[in-house]
Amino acid sequence: GALWKGLVLTFGLFLISFVMAVLNGNQSVIAYRVGFCMRTALISSIYRKALKISSAAKRGTTVGEIVNLMAVDAHRFFEMIPYLMLTLTALPVMALATFLLYNILGVSTFAGVIVLVALFPISGYVANQLKNLQYIQMKLKDERVKLTNEILNGIKVLKLYAWEPSFETQISNIRAKEIAMLRKAAMYNAFTEFIWGLAPFLVSFASFATYVYLGNTLDPSTAFVSLALFNI
């Protein structure tokens, strides 16, 4: 009886993992399809608008800015869709995991929840810094593309007066500033990955420490089931 029960439970775990993989893959396909459609629609709308703008509007808008709108900003909407769908499912999953943890660890669960909630302001601060860096980088990119466009349009004059080194220096300086912004953004992203990679350990440590401090015995079955729920 015990052997068959173990085999059934093992098969059940495999079946659940298989179904989850299929559903997650299907969800990713749908999300990316919607993202591609949204990006294509935005690029078409921007291109159509660029063909219709007046001469007065063209004086305040460069080709580089329009290219950035189509190549960079429209792509942000494509990247947003998978995270948007994840946001819709995250809260119910977290609520269910917390409920199951409460049945196992009792009030000790809230110690981990407090640690998890405390990490959100840090993540919000980093996200705000990344938004500011991206804004500066887009401004620099617009400036670089605009300057490059001016160089290509006036290449004969530049060669006639031997101004290539001067303009090359200007573009190199702008690019150096862009790389500095990208380096800062990479550091912030690495910090965010580190914090959220460490989060399951911090949350489980706080809950287990509180559980033991309240006089309970932490056995392997409680620990492993709790860790699985904490990872969720």
Side-chain angles (χ1 to χ4, degrees), residues 98-111:
T98 304
F99 173 74
L100 295 174
L101 278 167
Y102 182 79
N103 289 334
I104 298 171
L105 299 178
V107 294
S108 305
T109 304
F110 296 110

Side-chain angles (χ1 to χ4, degrees), residues 2 7 10 23 49 60 73 78 80 103 106 136 140 154 165 184 189 198 206 213 231:
L7 291 174
T10 303
L23 292 176
K49 180 67 176 178
D73 296 324
F78 166 74
M80 178 190 71
N103 289 334
I136 297 172
L140 291 170
K184 288 182 180 179
N189 281 320
L198 194 64
Y213 179 77
N231 286 329

